[in-house]
């Protein structure tokens, strides 16, 4: 420790315009200078006559003169005393004031209470509470000036001065305020499209009005846009009310139980009861913002390794780590529930009583600022020994948000995620794949709740081309894809002639269409022989939007098996609709970076708490 000598520095106030106070630089000879002009006299305190003293000040001066005489007598007595340096040092060591030493040697003086040699430090060393000694004149003058400036000062100063230790400054009261970011406290959550009941393609966009039943049955709202509601003739319109498609929920502001500072809930990464909130500044070790190793699986390790190898080859040391977590669950389906009613026997004969099905959810994260940011997700269905003995995989849902960094590499990374999944599937014996290209409408959310406002929604043609480019890359550059065809080419190759020849997957295009037309024909008592003719327009309308894939058979050394560990898999992680609903219920949004990080950590908690 370095000790510094403390010195009192007397502040000198200089009048900037007064020649008596302004320090002059060394004069330099000036040639051809003009004669000095007479300067106006400036009023200055040094030239003013001293003010007349009041009666109170005169009396104080007389008392101070007496005090000076008394102090002079005490000093002479002290000098003549037999105190030694050792006595003084010993006294200081024991905490005795100089005045007390004098009192012990010579006895008390008459004006002991006014002795200016006693300091606050000495008195406090003796354990005696005191005030710092000031001359009565200075106290009175200061008090008069303070009262002129603010008459309330005298009342306030009496409260501030304590009985011990002299005047003390009150400790500033900490005012709780937001310390997490620069946003305001009133932050409202966002909303996405609502579906209109009248038309499956009709949407109620954010901030638009719509109609809803006054008494909602159950938890699912039945919504109509204003245009469709006005055209409806079978509704009792008195039982409906007008609403605005807006999310009225506000983001919570949490108060730390230790420091009392305020945090936005979605800045805090806190997901428990707000009453027990302790912020990251007070408890940095109590927060988990990254995935743990316990949620790893064999397929996730494979995909994660492949993706990071690709990213490092493209970006080198500048790349941020990618993490993959995969959730799998068995989800067999009764054949009669999938098959069109008119052809139940035919489908039971081909697929037996149950269609074997497992679902796989692939989460891809990137480490950003010490947090695992979710930016890509795939929901797939896989059908081993499907009908004729072949095994199929189906890409049910695929969704992304533009939070991958650097942004310019996002397309290549997205392509690589899909191709790496294909690589794993062929290694485990799934050589046939199927994709129904069905893009969402602008404002819809497939899997990830609330997309960034600047993110564009691809149309059908653009999304079809995206998949075709991925498959072409897998075939021509990576050697993973053997061939791929759209529905028109597949129909010619396989020569579809009956319903059981069509792709038969859970909640997929042709399964839905066959059930829809079959029910309609049964209601109208249309014979089964007309079914193919009724379906013909759909064949022409869906030539391009569903794609069939054949993968390259792996080498013997490439073959592997799935991780068969038994794990709990809740619907919120294995079903796309349930997953989106869970995100909406917990206000997990991906529209901006701040909320996307909070939502990502929420998904991390879902994965690791629900599975184990």
């Amino acid at each position: 420790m370095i000790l510094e000598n403390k010195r009192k520095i007397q502040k000198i106030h200089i009048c900037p315009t007064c020649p008596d106070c302004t320090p002059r630089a060394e004069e330099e000879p000036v040639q051809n200078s003009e004669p000095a002009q007479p300067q106006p006299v400036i009023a200055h305190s040094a030239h003013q006559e001293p003010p007349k003293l009041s009666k109170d000040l005169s009396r104080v001066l007389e008392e101070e003169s007496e005090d000076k005489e008394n102090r002079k007598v005490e000093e002479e007595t002290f000098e003549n005393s037999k105190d030694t340096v050792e006595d003084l040092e010993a006294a200081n060591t024991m905490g005795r004031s100089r005045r007390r030493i004098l009192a012990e040697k010579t006895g008390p003086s008459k004006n002991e209470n006014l002795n200016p040699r006693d300091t606050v430090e000495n008195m406090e060393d003796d354990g005696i509470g005191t005030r710092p000694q000031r001359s009565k004149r200075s106290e009175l003058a200061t008090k008069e000036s303070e009262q002129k400036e603010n008459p309330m000062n005298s009342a306030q100063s009496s409260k501030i001065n304590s009985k011990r230790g002299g005047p003390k400054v009150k400790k500033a009261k900490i005012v709780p305020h937001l310390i997490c970011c620069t946003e305001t406290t009133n932050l409202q959550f966002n909303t996405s499209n609502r579906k209109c009941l009248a038309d499956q393609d009709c949407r109620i966009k954010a901030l638009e009005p719509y109609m809803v039943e006054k008494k909602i049955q159950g938890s699912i709202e039945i919504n109509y846009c204003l245009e469709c509601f006005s055209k409806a003739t079978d509704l009792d319109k008195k039982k409906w009310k007008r609403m605005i498609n807006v999310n009225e929920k506000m983001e919570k502001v949490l108060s730390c139980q230790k420091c009392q500072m305020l945090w936005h809930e979605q800045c805090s990464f806190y997901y428990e009861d707000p009453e027990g909130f302790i912020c990251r500044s007070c408890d940095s070790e109590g927060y988990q913002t990254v995935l743990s190793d316990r949620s790893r699986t064999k397929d996730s390790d494979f995909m994660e390794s492949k993706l990071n190898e690709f990213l490092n080859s493209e970006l080198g040391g500048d790349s941020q780590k990618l993490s993959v977590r995969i959730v799998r669950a068995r989800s067999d389906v009764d054949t009669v529930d999938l098959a069109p009613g008119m052809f139940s026997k035919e489908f039971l004969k081909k697929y037996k009583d149950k269609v074997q099905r497992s679902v796989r959810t692939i989460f891809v994260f990137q480490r950003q600022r010490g947090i695992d940011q979710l930016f890509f997700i795939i929901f797939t269905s896989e059908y081993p020994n499907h009908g004729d003995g072949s095994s199929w995989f189906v890409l049910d849902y695929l969704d992304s948000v533009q939070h991958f960094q650097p942004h310019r590499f996002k397309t290549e990374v997205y392509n690589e995620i899909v191709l790496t999944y294909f690589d794993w599937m062929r290694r485990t014996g799934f050589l046939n794949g199927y994709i129904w290209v069905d893009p969402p409408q602008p404002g819809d959310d497939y899997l990830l709740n609330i997309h960034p406002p600047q993110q564009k929604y691809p149309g059908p043609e653009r999304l079809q081309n995206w998949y075709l480019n991925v498959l072409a890359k897998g075939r021509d550059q990576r050697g993973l894809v053997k061939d791929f065809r759209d529905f028109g080419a597949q129909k010619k190759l396989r020569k579809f002639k009956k319903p059981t020849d069509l792709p038969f997957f859970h909640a997929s295009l042709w399964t839905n269409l066959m059930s829809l037309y079959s029910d309609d024909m049964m209601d109208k008592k249309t014979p089964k022989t007309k079914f193919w003719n009724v379906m013909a327009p759909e064949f022409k309308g869906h030539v391009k939007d569903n794609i069939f894939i054949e993968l390259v058979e792996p080498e013997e050394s490439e073959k592997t098996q799935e991780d068969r560990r038994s794990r709990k898999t809740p619907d919120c992680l294995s079903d796309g609709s349930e997953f989106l609903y869970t995100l909406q219920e917990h206000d997990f949004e991906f529209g901006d970076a701040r909320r996307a990080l909070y939502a990502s950590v929420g998904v991390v908690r879902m994965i690791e708490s629900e599975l184990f």
Side-chain angles (χ1 to χ4, degrees):
M1 180 181 294
I2 300 175
L3 301 179
E4 297 181 355
N5 294 325
K6 297 182 180 180
R7 298 182 299 173
K8 293 184 179 180
I9 301 175
Q10 183 180 3
K11 294 184 179 179
I12 303 175
H13 299 279
I14 300 176
C15 177
T17 59
C18 178
D20 293 336
C21 291
T22 304
R24 299 181 180 178
E26 295 182 0
E27 297 183 357
E28 297 181 359
V30 180
Q31 297 180 358
N32 300 326
S33 61
E34 297 181 0
Q37 299 295 329
Q39 300 294 327
V41 178
I42 300 175
H44 185 268
S45 59
H47 302 148
Q48 296 176 355
E49 295 181 0
K52 295 181 180 181
L53 300 177
S54 63
K55 293 181 179 180
D56 292 335
L57 289 177
S58 300
R59 179 175 51 80
V60 170
L61 290 175
E62 292 176 0
E63 292 178 358
E64 286 188 347
S65 62
E66 295 178 2
D67 293 341
K68 290 180 180 179
E69 294 178 1
N70 291 333
R71 288 196 298 271
K72 185 175 181 181
V73 172
E74 290 179 355
E75 290 175 359
E76 291 177 355
T77 306
F78 181 83
E79 294 296 335
N80 295 329
S81 67
K82 296 182 180 181
D83 285 340
T84 61
V85 176
E86 290 78 5
D87 293 332
L88 291 174
E89 291 177 348
N92 288 332
T93 303
M94 297 175 63
R96 292 183 294 166
S97 67
R98 188 175 183 182
R99 180 174 59 83
R100 181 162 296 187
I101 298 170
L102 183 61
E104 291 175 355
K105 295 291 184 180
T106 63
S109 63
K110 295 180 180 180
N111 298 311
E112 183 180 35
N113 293 332
L114 299 178
N115 190 344
R117 293 183 182 273
D118 280 332
T119 63
V120 175
E121 290 81 0
N122 290 336
M123 297 295 284
E124 289 178 346
D125 286 341
D126 287 333
I128 302 173
T130 184
R131 294 184 183 182
Q133 300 293 327
R134 299 177 61 190
S135 67
K136 292 186 178 181
R137 177 182 179 183
S138 61
E139 287 182 355
L140 184 58
T142 302
K143 185 180 295 184
E144 289 178 354
S145 64
E146 288 176 351
Q147 289 179 351
K148 287 180 181 180
E149 293 178 0
N150 188 355
M152 297 297 295
N153 283 345
S154 58
Q156 294 175 355
S157 62
S158 63
K159 294 181 180 180
I160 294 175
N161 290 334
S162 63
K163 294 182 179 180
R164 297 184 61 188
K168 294 184 179 180
V169 179
K170 279 189 175 181
K171 187 177 181 180
K173 184 178 179 180
I174 299 176
V175 179
H177 60 279
L178 280 171
I179 63 171
C180 54
C181 69
T182 58
E183 296 283 351
T184 63
T185 56
N186 300 320
L187 298 178
Q188 194 168 5
F189 288 109
N190 298 290
T191 187
S192 55
N193 289 348
R194 291 176 181 267
K195 293 183 179 181
C196 177
L197 185 64
D199 186 350
Q200 63 177 0
D201 294 327
C202 184
R203 295 291 186 272
I204 303 164
K205 297 181 180 180
L207 304 180
E208 287 187 350
Y210 68 99
M211 301 302 295
V212 64
E213 284 186 299
K214 292 181 179 178
K215 293 183 179 180
I216 301 172
Q217 301 296 326
S219 59
I220 300 177
E221 292 185 3
I222 300 175
N223 308 312
Y224 282 92
C225 70
L226 296 186
E227 183 178 356
C228 294
F229 183 79
S230 64
K231 295 178 181 179
T233 58
D234 57 344
L235 299 176
D236 184 357
K237 297 186 177 182
K238 294 181 179 180
K239 296 181 179 180
W240 294 72
K241 61 181 178 180
R242 181 186 173 116
M243 299 286 288
I244 300 295
N245 186 19
V246 64
N247 191 342
E248 297 180 353
K249 295 176 67 175
M250 305 294 290
E251 186 173 338
K252 296 177 183 177
V253 176
L254 308 180
S255 175
C256 178
Q257 299 301 304
K258 284 191 176 181
C259 66
Q260 282 74 53
M261 292 297 103
L262 304 181
W263 289 68
H264 291 113
E265 181 184 47
Q266 305 217 353
C267 291
S268 69
F269 296 100
Y270 184 79
Y271 302 84
E272 308 298 338
D273 182 7
E275 296 297 327
F277 171 61
I278 297 177
C279 70
R280 288 180 285 139
S281 299
C282 297
D283 183 20
S284 60
E285 297 181 357
Y287 287 81
Q288 177 189 352
T289 57
V290 297
L291 293 154
S292 68
D293 290 338
R294 68 173 186 163
S295 56
R296 290 180 175 277
T297 53
K298 190 175 181 179
D299 48 356
S300 71
D301 285 347
F302 173 83
M303 290 191 66
E304 182 176 309
S305 176
K306 291 287 185 181
L307 291 174
N308 281 302
E309 286 178 9
F310 168 79
L311 199 61
N312 289 332
S313 66
E314 294 292 329
L315 299 179
D318 295 333
S319 62
Q320 298 294 321
K321 179 187 177 183
L322 298 184
S323 297
V324 178
R325 291 298 182 269
I326 296 178
V327 178
R328 292 181 66 242
R330 187 74 179 266
S331 183
D332 294 346
V333 185
D334 290 336
T335 303
V336 293
D337 292 338
L338 288 182
M342 296 179 70
F343 301 94
S344 296
K345 292 181 181 180
E346 290 84 344
F347 279 89
L348 284 168
K349 183 179 179 180
K350 181 176 180 178
Y351 294 99
K352 309 306 178 187
D353 292 341
K354 286 186 178 295
V355 174
Q356 296 182 28
R357 174 177 178 254
S358 62
V359 294
R360 188 190 308 260
T361 310
I362 304 171
F363 304 91
V364 186
F365 301 81
Q366 184 184 34
R367 188 71 52 83
Q368 296 178 4
R369 292 181 288 175
I371 300 168
D372 281 338
Q373 167 70 67
L374 177 64
F375 69 93
F376 199 91
I377 186 171
I378 306 176
F379 275 74
T380 71
S381 296
E382 293 150 13
Y383 302 85
N385 303 315
H386 192 56
D388 57 359
S390 58
S391 297
W392 290 75
F393 63 88
V394 179
L395 268 66
D396 291 324
Y397 297 97
L398 184 152
D399 201 0
S400 65
V401 284
Q402 293 182 349
H403 294 304
F404 174 81
Q405 298 296 333
H407 183 74
R408 66 182 184 276
F409 285 99
K410 69 177 181 63
T411 300
E412 287 82 355
V413 172
Y414 294 174
N415 292 351
E416 196 65 23
I417 293 171
V418 175
L419 291 175
T420 305
Y421 169 70
F422 290 169
D423 194 6
W424 176 259
M425 295 313 298
R426 74 184 188 91
R427 290 169 183 261
T428 55
F430 288 79
L431 301 180
N432 300 281
Y434 175 79
I435 303 173
W436 172 25
V437 182
D438 184 28
Q441 293 191 31
D444 281 3
D445 291 315
Y446 254 9
L447 299 172
L448 300 172
N449 182 39
I450 307 299
H451 289 64
Q454 72 276 9
Q455 183 169 342
K456 297 180 180 179
Y457 284 74
E461 184 176 355
R462 182 182 175 190
L463 187 58
Q464 290 168 21
N465 291 332
W466 186 85
Y467 277 114
L468 293 175
N469 290 333
V470 173
L471 293 168
K473 182 178 180 181
R475 180 189 61 191
D476 302 335
Q477 300 179 25
R478 299 292 305 279
L480 301 173
V481 177
K482 182 179 179 180
D483 197 7
F484 56 93
R485 295 173 294 275
D486 60 23
F487 178 76
Q490 184 75 0
K491 187 174 182 295
K492 290 180 181 179
L493 180 65
R494 299 298 181 184
K495 302 185 184 305
F496 297 149
K497 294 181 180 180
K498 54 185 182 297
T500 52
D501 292 336
L502 293 173
F504 186 61
F505 306 115
H506 174 69
S508 191
L509 172 64
W510 297 110
T511 305
N512 293 342
L513 288 176
M514 285 190 291
S515 296
L516 179 65
Y517 281 101
S518 173
D519 292 343
D520 185 61
M521 289 175 66
M522 291 175 68
D523 292 339
K524 296 178 180 180
K525 297 181 179 180
T526 305
K528 295 171 59 174
T529 55
K530 299 290 185 181
F531 183 79
W532 207 248
N533 293 332
V534 173
M535 290 283 294
E538 300 293 348
F539 297 153
K540 295 180 180 179
H542 292 283
V543 171
K544 298 292 185 181
D545 65 1
N546 46 130
I547 305 171
F548 297 80
I549 306 165
E550 288 185 48
L551 299 180
V552 174
E553 190 170 351
E555 299 290 338
E556 194 64 32
S557 60
E558 294 178 320
K559 293 181 180 180
T560 186
Q561 292 183 348
E562 293 282 2
D563 191 339
R564 300 188 181 278
R565 284 190 298 172
S566 177
R567 298 179 298 177
K568 298 182 298 182
T569 306
D571 290 341
C572 65
L573 294 177
S574 58
D575 181 86
S577 299
E578 286 294 325
F579 179 75
L580 176 60
Y581 175 77
T582 302
L583 296 186
Q584 293 172 341
E585 186 180 27
H586 290 85
D587 302 313
F588 292 165
E589 297 185 358
F590 292 84
D592 59 60
R594 184 180 71 90
R595 285 180 171 172
L597 289 172
Y598 178 81
S600 298
V601 176
V603 174
V604 169
R605 290 169 57 87
M606 288 169 57
I607 293 172
E608 303 208 339
S609 64
E610 294 287 352
L611 293 181
F612 301 95

